Amino acid sequence: MQRSTTTRDIRSLSVDDLQELTESLGQPAFRAKQLREWLFNKNVCSFDEMTNLPKVFREQLAERYRFNVPEELTKQVSKDGSRKYLLQFSDGVSIETVGMPNKNRLAVCISTQAGCAMGCAFCATGMSGLTRSLTAREMVDQVLHVAADFNERVTSVVFMGQGEPLANFDETVKALRMLNDPDGLGIGARHLTVSTCGIIPGIKRFAELDEQFTLAISLHSAIQQTRNQLMPGVKKFTLLRLHEALQSYTEKTGRRPSYEYAMIDGVNDTNPEMEALIDFCQGTLCHVNLIQLNDISDSPLKPSPIEKVEVLQRRLMMHGVETTIRNSRGTDIDAACGQLKQRFSVPRGGR
Ligand code: SAH
Ligand code: SF4
C-alpha cells in the first residue's frame, strides 16, 4: 500500500472534516461513521485494520493521511515487571509513561503535559517548567502504546505522570471519556484517576462531570506556610478554600478523594504538621496515601525515615482516617508516578 508523504494525522480531523473527506473521495456517508468508529472508538493506529472499509478507500486515505503515533525513544524494564517509556511526539516533544502489571491487571500512568508550570519544590518535572500541554489523543496514545507493548488489556489509568491535568482540563476530560468509552477501551470511570496539585476551579468543574472518575489531591502539607513553600504554584488556592472545595466535591459526588502526602524529612513530618493533617482530614471523606519522598539528586529535600511514615499512619488511623503507605516500587500504581524518572530508574536498587 502506498504510504502518505504528508504529516497530517487523520485523528486530528473533526467529525465534519471526516464527513467532508469521505464525500470528496466519492464514498457514501455511512463510511464516515465507520471511519470515525475505527479512529475514536476502536482506536486503531493503521488504515489496514479498518477491515469494513473498501480497500480502495483505505488506500486513498493512506495516501493523504498518517497516524502520528508517538515514537518510543527508550524503555526501561524494572525487576517487578513495570516498564517505563520515554515517548516522543511528532513535534519532537517527549514525555514519560509507565506500565505496571499486577497479576491479571495492567495499570498505566500517563503524562498530561510535557513539563509543568506549577513549580513544586520536590518535583523534578516542576523544576524544568512547562513545554506544552498534551492533546487528549496524545494521552490516549500513551495508553495504547503500553497496551500494545504488554499485549494486554489496560485495566486502570492514573493521570499522575508529568504535568498538571487540571491545568489542561478540556483535553484531560476528553481523554478520560475516550478511555471510558464502552465501544473503545472501556475502562471503568472509577479506574480512571486524575491527580491534581489543587486547582480549585478545576476541582469544581471535575465535580460537575457525570462520570464517576476518581480524584487524587496532592496535599503534602496541611500548614499553609509549608505548602506555599513546597507548592508555590497553588498558593492562591489556600488550604481553607481547598478544604471547602473538597467538601462540596464529596457532597456533590458522594465520592472519596485521596490525599497524596510525600513525607519530607524535617519539613512535613513534624508533630505540628501531623496534627494539621489530622485536622484537615477529619470531617471530610478521604483516603490518605503516604509515601516517602523520592529523592531527587541535588535537592535539599530528603525522604522521611520509614518509622515516621508509620507513626503518621497510626495517628491518622487512630483518628478514623483511612491511610495507606505506598512504596516506590513499580508494583504500586499510586507510587509509581509523578516523578517517573526518579521512581523508575531501574539502576537504583534494581526496582
Ligand atoms: N500534577 C499532578 C499530577 C502529577 S504529579 C499533581 O501534582 O498531583 C503525581 C504525584 O507525584 C503527585 O502527588 C506529586 O505530588 C507526586 N510527586 C512529585 N514529585 C515527587 C517526589 N519527588 N516524591 C514523591 N512524590 C512526588
Ligand atoms: Fe506539576 Fe504535579 Fe510536579 Fe507539582 S507535583 S510540579 S503539579 S507535576
Side-chain angles (χ1 to χ4, degrees), residues 116 118-120 122-123 126 163-164 197:
C116 184
M118 307 313 294
C120 299
F122 49 82
C123 173
E164 169 49 44
C197 58

Side-chain angles (χ1 to χ4, degrees), residues 89-348:
F89 299 112
S90 54
D91 65 350
V93 164
S94 57
I95 50 88
E96 286 169 316
T97 305
V98 181
M100 294 158 281
N102 190 359
K103 301 199 180 95
N104 52 0
R105 296 197 301 266
L106 177 59
V108 179
C109 175
I110 62 168
S111 297
T112 55
Q113 299 182 308
C116 184
M118 307 313 294
C120 299
F122 49 82
C123 173
T125 304
M127 284 168 195
S128 45
L130 176 68
T131 305
R132 72 166 172 86
S133 287
L134 305 188
T135 62
R137 173 46 70 186
E138 287 170 330
M139 296 178 211
V140 174
D141 275 351
Q142 296 172 58
V143 179
L144 296 176
H145 187 91
V146 179
D149 191 50
F150 278 87
N151 194 22
E152 262 176 52
R153 197 181 108 76
V154 171
T155 48
S156 64
V157 178
V158 289
F159 290 55
M160 287 191 182
Q162 293 164 318
E164 169 49 44
L166 298 189
N168 186 15
F169 191 92
D170 293 341
E171 293 300 311
T172 295
V173 172
K174 243 196 256 176
L176 285 164
R177 292 193 165 138
M178 283 162 83
L179 296 169
N180 184 223
D181 186 340
D183 295 325
L185 289 163
I187 304 169
R190 286 160 193 262
H191 301 288
L192 296 170
T193 302
V194 169
S195 175
T196 176
C197 58
I199 296 181
I200 289 173
I203 296 174
K204 289 190 174 151
R205 286 177 72 192
F206 197 78
E208 300 291 330
L209 301 176
D210 291 333
E211 298 89 344
Q212 302 258 294
F213 301 127
T214 301
L215 182 66
I217 305 290
S218 298
L219 192 58
H220 305 312
S221 174
I223 293 182
Q224 194 62 56
Q225 213 183 350
T226 314
R227 197 163 192 268
N228 289 351
Q229 276 163 3
L230 291 176
M231 306 175 73
V234 280
K235 241 188 208 170
K236 67 174 172 184
F237 303 122
T238 59
L239 284 162
L240 198 65
R241 290 180 63 196
L242 182 62
H243 197 265
E244 281 167 9
L246 291 170
Q247 258 172 335
S248 32
Y249 169 85
T250 357
E251 274 161 31
K252 199 157 181 40
T253 63
R255 312 230 54 214
R256 175 190 300 251
S258 57
Y259 300 158
E260 307 299 312
Y261 200 94
M263 292 189 67
I264 311 171
D265 194 24
V267 176
N268 62 2
D269 64 354
T270 61
N271 196 36
E273 288 281 346
M274 291 193 189
E275 275 166 14
L277 176 63
I278 292 164
D279 264 7
F280 189 91
C281 294
Q282 277 187 326
T284 60
L285 214 53
C286 67
H287 182 113
V288 175
N289 288 318
L290 300 176
I291 177 174
Q292 277 176 295
L293 182 81
N294 264 283
D295 215 345
I296 304 176
S297 44
D298 301 334
S299 168
L301 302 176
K302 295 290 160 212
S304 306
I306 190 68
E307 296 73 30
K308 279 256 177 87
V309 183
E310 287 163 0
V311 167
L312 181 53
Q313 182 191 33
R314 271 200 301 279
R315 288 183 65 174
L316 282 162
M317 301 276 265
M318 257 162 44
H319 286 85
V321 182
E322 228 181 82
T323 307
T324 310
I325 298 178
R326 306 273 177 193
N327 59 38
S328 295
R329 299 223 176 90
T331 46
D332 183 320
I333 75 161
D334 288 329
C337 313
Q339 219 327 290
L340 306 180
K341 263 187 194 138
Q342 300 289 326
R343 297 190 190 195
F344 274 85
S345 47
V346 175
R348 289 180 68 226

